[in-house]
Amino acid sequence: MSSRVLIVDDAQFMRDLLRDILEQGGMEIVGEAENGRQAVEQYKLLNPDLVTMDIVMPLRSGIEALIDIRAIDDAAKVIVCSALGQESMVNEAVSAGAKDFIVKPFQADDVLNIVRRVLA
Amino acid sequence: MDMSKYKSMFLSETEEHLRNMSALLVAVENDPADRDGIDALFRDAHSIKGMAASMGYTQMADLAHHLEDFLADFRKAGTIDPAAIDHLLQGTDLIEEVLAEIAADRPEPDVSAFMFAAPQAEDAPQNEHRLRLTLRENVVAPGARLLLLMGVFSEMGQIAAQRPSMEELKAGGAHRKIQFVLTGSLSRATIEEKVQCYPEVAELSFSDPGDERAPERRKQDRRQNSLASGTVRVDTVLLDRFINLTGELLTTRYALKTALKEQDLRELGEGLGQLEKLVGNLHSQVLKMRMMPVSTVTGRLPRVVRDLCRSNGKEIELKISGAGIELDRSILEEMSDPLMHLVRNAVDHGIERSGTVCIDVLRTRSHVQLRIEDDGRGMDPQLLRRRAREKGLIGERQAEVMRDADALQLICLPGFSTVDRVSETSGRGVGMDVVRSAVENLGGSLLIDAAPQAGTRITVTLPLSVAIIKILLFECAGKLLAMPLSRVIQTQLLSADKVLRRGKQRVFELKGETLPLLSLRKILGFSSPQGPTSLAVIVMELFGRRVGLVVDHFCGHQDVFVKKLPPPFDRLRGTGGGAVLGDGRVVFILDVQSLLEQQR
């Protein structure tokens, strides 16, 4: 059975890109969210196997959403997406329980490798 | 349901499982991490349990169940300790005893005491790994990456002495390296495997914990002692000698350079003499480093004999002498299985009920002799002749004229077996061809002495070292060839009038013994030379008897490094390898016996 993924990013472009990469990798995209608040709501509704979470987003940041999701499900698998130059935020996210991180701009293979090993 | 009709089947199958277990236990004792072996043991115990329970033999079923449970822990750990092996050996013994009682229609003995005496299985062994991890240069957010990786490692075991610490990592900063101590049940290989899916990791190095109690270290020591490993321990004294020798060699090089520049022939000669001495010294030191006592391969034999006796009900004493004598490690490596085979043969087929197997190791100037001797039923040359004749391995005429001593060597022919019963799995003779070719590939020889009802003695003569050997160079039909000097008894220039004829066979006299003359040209398929005035003859042993091999002329001898021919050339019969001579020419090392075998 393919893994169910929730994509969270405020940019339509990034969501589409990630969707293509993950679908090509055999994963099922069960939902999308464009801010932290939506992300937490969607997580409760969909209970996905994995979340890709942008960090810098309106309403609630990715890190705040991550903390909220972990409060609902301690074992939640969340991968944060950040841009170059946001190392300190990545550190913070990992400390808060992100399972891994991808850095934009990313390569499809790298994304799939990371997603798969988190799902393994 | 009447189970009695299944009884004989139960008895024989259980016996088979027990035999299997004892063989496996020996194997596992030699290689405690033999997972397949442990699994197979578990399955055997499980089968015995199932059968015994179906038959209603509760004591045996309980006992087998106990062994199965006992094994389960080691199965999980993937390794087994010696105390457990002892317990399992005792357990299989006990099952055998119970089986004997059942076979004799007597009630099963009570075995509960044994089960209480089981040693506690050790907890999964704790390995201490000192790890040093480096991330690739291009990894972004390396601090976060290290944080994540440490999360992965902390799932593998206890983390200690971590630098930089988690707090330092969380605080940020461009850390790309981390070191820590990981204590857990995982082996190094497993850890490496787990890290493999992280391409961000450039390097993961393990440094020696320096802790004698760490099981990982112990395992490595064992591996270093074993022949199969590619590493050797070197005495530091020996290393110091190498350094000194290297220094002297450098000095000599300068002396030679100077002598050459000044055209001083006397100096040059002295320098070369010095060089020869130093290289000779270096050679002997290197060889010394490769030497290991024969006990490295005979060490496991007492247990094998004990277990063989156990499984076939014989009483056999194994005596080993001279196991302290040293041989080149590569020779020992190659001899390990053949030796095992010879001893098994002696136990399985030589000795009928009780007796002694002796292994004597003797050292001569350039050889080591292994004698495997039993006082069993021996062999009848007449019977061997008849069988070889029946199997079409020799001709009728050959069978008639063959001496008894030669007839005994027949058991080394492929496809020869003296055991009549089909049920016998390994007759004497099966595998003897393999043993002999192993010995001969090492430049050694194998000789069989036996008489009916008077025991069998197999003498294996091996060179001390294979790495560098002396070869005799000779020419035949314009080709330069060589053979190991160890195979040459003597060389002889024979004037044509000394060649006699006996029927079709050309012969000559050597110290009162008449030896047949074989022409190497003929063996190699070249035409015979035109009426030579004298013959160059190599006196050597072929198939256990002396012969004179006629070559065109001798070209001296040399120390060479013999290399095995690479596949597929190693399958060519008649060559025992090749060597590069001092002047750059390549020479094949001839194996005359295998050439003749091909023609037979």
Side-chain angles (χ1 to χ4, degrees):
Chain A
M1 206 184 79
S2 58
S3 300
R4 304 165 67 254
V5 182
L6 169 66
I7 298 175
V8 185
D9 202 304
D10 57 340
Q12 178 74 47
F13 169 78
M14 291 310 299
R15 291 204 299 274
D16 288 353
L17 182 59
L18 272 171
R19 174 183 281 273
D20 285 346
I21 291 172
L22 295 175
E23 280 180 350
Q24 267 172 30
M27 276 155 248
E28 184 193 351
I29 310 305
V30 291
E32 291 183 11
E34 53 190 55
N35 59 54
R37 190 177 293 162
Q38 262 185 26
V40 181
E41 285 163 6
Q42 292 276 61
Y43 190 90
K44 284 186 199 165
L45 286 172
L46 300 168
N47 190 25
D49 298 319
L50 184 101
V51 182
T52 69
M53 178 85 72
D54 187 24
I55 295 183
V56 183
M57 289 185 298
L59 291 176
R60 261 180 112 60
S61 80
I63 292 176
E64 287 168 310
L66 165 68
I67 292 168
D68 290 350
I69 288 174
R70 295 245 311 152
I72 301 163
D73 177 1
D74 187 42
K77 289 177 175 170
V78 179
I79 293 176
V80 292
C81 301
S82 84
L84 271 174
Q86 296 179 334
E87 272 86 349
S88 64
M89 277 194 258
V90 176
N91 258 7
E92 201 183 324
V94 167
S95 304
K99 295 291 180 207
D100 213 313
F101 59 92
I102 44 187
V103 180
K104 303 174 207 169
F106 40 68
Q107 299 288 318
D109 288 348
D110 294 341
V111 173
L112 285 174
N113 180 36
I114 287 170
V115 167
R116 284 193 182 120
R117 86 187 170 204
V118 168
L119 284 168
Chain B
M1 186 177 161
D2 179 19
M3 296 298 286
S4 60
K5 62 179 171 183
Y6 298 110
K7 186 170 170 181
S8 69
M9 195 201 274
F10 163 77
L11 291 174
S12 73
E13 282 204 15
T14 306
E15 241 169 277
E16 197 180 310
H17 283 293
L18 286 172
R19 262 207 301 276
N20 216 4
M21 285 183 84
S22 68
L24 281 167
L25 282 166
V26 178
V28 171
E29 184 169 54
N30 286 328
D31 179 8
D34 177 3
R35 208 173 262 277
D36 293 344
I38 298 171
D39 283 352
L41 278 168
F42 182 87
R43 285 194 301 273
D44 280 320
H46 180 81
S47 303
I48 294 175
K49 179 191 76 174
M51 290 189 296
S54 314
M55 295 293 295
Y57 298 126
T58 52
Q59 291 294 326
M60 188 187 283
D62 284 352
L63 185 53
H65 190 178
H66 161 73
L67 294 183
E68 188 188 349
D69 277 352
F70 185 70
L71 275 159
D73 289 337
F74 298 101
R75 205 176 172 208
K76 247 180 268 158
T79 175
I80 196 160
D81 58 72
I85 301 247
D86 283 343
H87 184 69
L88 288 164
L89 277 170
Q90 285 161 13
T92 50
D93 276 355
L94 197 52
I95 293 183
E96 230 172 309
E97 278 171 36
V98 178
L99 197 68
E101 295 300 304
I102 291 171
D105 285 322
R106 285 192 292 263
E108 288 182 280
D110 186 351
V111 296
S112 52
F114 172 78
M115 294 187 267
F116 286 119
Q120 289 302 304
E122 277 176 35
D123 289 338
Q126 294 291 301
N127 297 331
E128 193 180 284
H129 302 284
R130 255 160 225 262
L131 296 170
R132 205 179 265 275
L133 183 147
T134 312
L135 293 178
R136 272 183 210 292
E137 276 299 308
N138 58 358
V139 167
V140 279
R145 179 54 61 201
L146 287 177
L147 274 174
L148 280 171
L149 282 165
M150 287 318 294
V152 173
F153 282 113
S154 65
E155 279 169 23
M156 300 183 199
Q158 291 283 324
I159 305 285
Q162 179 185 330
R163 266 198 333 227
S165 69
M166 288 307 246
E167 286 64 36
E168 284 169 305
L169 288 175
K170 282 177 188 168
H175 302 287
R176 284 187 184 277
K177 291 183 183 175
I178 193 161
Q179 61 182 60
F180 55 95
V181 178
L182 174 67
T183 313
S185 59
L186 297 184
S187 70
R188 173 178 173 160
T190 319
I191 295 171
E192 279 171 340
E193 198 185 310
K194 281 184 188 283
V195 174
Q196 220 150 48
C197 67
Y198 291 89
E200 297 90 346
V201 176
E203 199 193 343
L204 178 70
S205 64
F206 290 70
S207 61
D208 202 309
D211 182 352
E212 287 297 332
R213 287 163 305 168
E216 180 72 359
R217 171 69 180 272
R218 276 213 316 263
K219 228 182 271 169
Q220 267 172 4
D221 282 357
R222 215 176 292 144
R223 242 180 275 134
Q224 266 165 350
N225 288 335
S226 92
L227 280 162
S229 76
T231 56
V232 219
R233 293 194 147 203
V234 181
D235 195 337
T236 47
V237 176
L238 215 51
L239 279 180
D240 290 344
R241 279 196 206 134
F242 280 131
I243 285 294
N244 289 340
L245 272 170
T246 316
E248 283 180 56
L249 278 169
L250 285 174
T251 316
T252 310
R253 193 187 79 174
Y254 286 117
L256 281 169
K257 246 183 170 171
T258 315
L260 184 68
K261 207 155 77 189
E262 291 167 3
Q263 298 282 312
D264 186 338
L265 284 181
R266 203 183 57 86
E267 277 288 309
L268 208 57
E270 266 177 29
L272 279 174
Q274 178 73 3
L275 189 67
E276 198 169 313
K277 207 178 85 191
L278 289 173
V279 171
N281 196 344
L282 190 63
H283 177 205
S284 76
Q285 299 287 355
V286 171
L287 286 188
K288 197 179 280 174
M289 208 159 67
R290 294 177 55 90
M291 297 302 252
M292 289 177 98
V294 175
S295 59
T296 33
V297 290
T298 55
R300 60 188 174 142
L301 293 176
R303 192 56 172 271
V304 172
V305 171
R306 191 185 123 193
D307 281 12
L308 280 173
C309 290
R310 185 177 303 220
S311 61
N312 58 24
K314 293 181 184 179
E315 267 179 49
I316 293 168
E317 193 187 352
L318 177 70
K319 288 183 185 162
I320 301 179
S321 76
I325 288 169
E326 293 191 323
L327 262 173
D328 188 281
R329 55 185 284 113
S330 58
I331 294 181
L332 284 175
E333 223 165 89
E334 296 292 323
M335 278 309 296
S336 173
D337 287 345
L339 188 64
M340 176 78 80
H341 196 89
L342 291 174
V343 170
R344 271 177 182 273
N345 266 350
V347 172
D348 277 350
H349 310 299
I351 294 171
E352 278 166 287
R353 194 149 296 277
S354 67
T356 311
V357 176
C358 293
I359 301 176
D360 295 307
V361 187
L362 306 156
R363 159 99 197 245
T364 63
R365 206 176 58 81
S366 60
H367 287 89
V368 165
Q369 244 181 29
L370 299 173
R371 280 195 205 145
I372 298 94
E373 195 167 0
D374 68 63
D375 55 2
R377 71 182 107 178
M379 284 184 287
D380 182 354
Q382 197 52 44
L383 197 75
L384 298 177
R385 265 194 212 97
R386 204 186 312 143
R387 178 157 293 258
R389 182 73 201 90
E390 278 165 18
K391 297 222 163 191
L393 296 167
I394 55 168
E396 191 146 2
R397 167 102 187 101
Q398 210 179 347
E400 274 171 30
V401 300
M402 186 174 273
R403 296 182 310 163
D404 282 358
D406 292 337
L408 290 170
Q409 321 306 320
L410 287 169
I411 64 165
C412 291
L413 292 179
F416 189 95
S417 173
T418 59
V419 176
D420 286 319
R421 279 171 309 161
V422 185
S423 63
E424 198 89 30
T425 47
S426 64
R428 195 188 271 272
V430 173
M432 278 304 288
D433 57 325
V434 180
V435 172
R436 190 182 63 176
S437 65
V439 170
E440 286 176 354
N441 284 341
L442 293 168
S445 63
L446 184 147
L447 191 68
I448 300 155
D449 284 320
Q453 302 307 325
T456 304
R457 180 171 68 205
I458 293 173
T459 310
V460 175
T461 307
L462 295 163
L464 287 175
S465 161
V466 277
I468 294 176
I469 62 169
K470 271 198 195 316
I471 54 168
L472 173 71
L473 289 160
F474 50 88
E475 211 168 87
C476 181
K479 304 266 183 299
L480 184 69
L481 295 163
M483 74 167 70
L485 211 51
S486 59
R487 305 218 57 171
V488 177
I489 296 167
Q490 70 175 88
T491 56
Q492 179 108 6
L493 281 175
L494 201 66
S495 57
D497 58 316
K498 291 276 167 49
V499 178
L500 312 169
R501 285 198 171 269
R502 183 164 296 174
K504 270 186 177 176
Q505 179 69 56
R506 290 192 302 168
V507 296
F508 73 108
E509 296 267 333
L510 183 75
K511 292 174 197 155
E513 196 184 349
T514 306
L515 304 181
L517 276 173
L518 304 175
S519 159
L520 184 60
R521 274 182 177 252
K522 213 162 144 192
I523 294 170
L524 293 175
F526 296 114
S527 60
S528 293
Q530 302 300 312
T533 48
S534 70
L535 300 174
V537 176
I538 300 170
V539 180
M540 61 185 296
E541 207 164 86
L542 280 180
F543 302 106
R545 60 183 305 193
R546 290 177 172 209
V547 300
L549 185 74
V550 182
V551 300
D552 290 6
H553 55 91
F554 300 125
C555 311
H557 54 84
Q558 238 182 63
D559 287 337
V560 294
F561 181 72
V562 177
K563 291 180 186 161
K564 273 187 186 169
L565 296 181
F569 302 109
D570 57 344
R571 300 192 67 82
L572 285 174
R573 284 207 144 175
T575 55
V580 179
L581 299 180
D583 58 8
R585 277 184 298 172
V586 173
V587 67
F588 286 109
I589 312 296
L590 205 63
D591 179 353
V592 183
Q593 186 154 320
S594 73
L595 267 180
L596 287 173
E597 229 156 55
Q598 200 175 19
Q599 292 185 345
R600 278 185 166 193

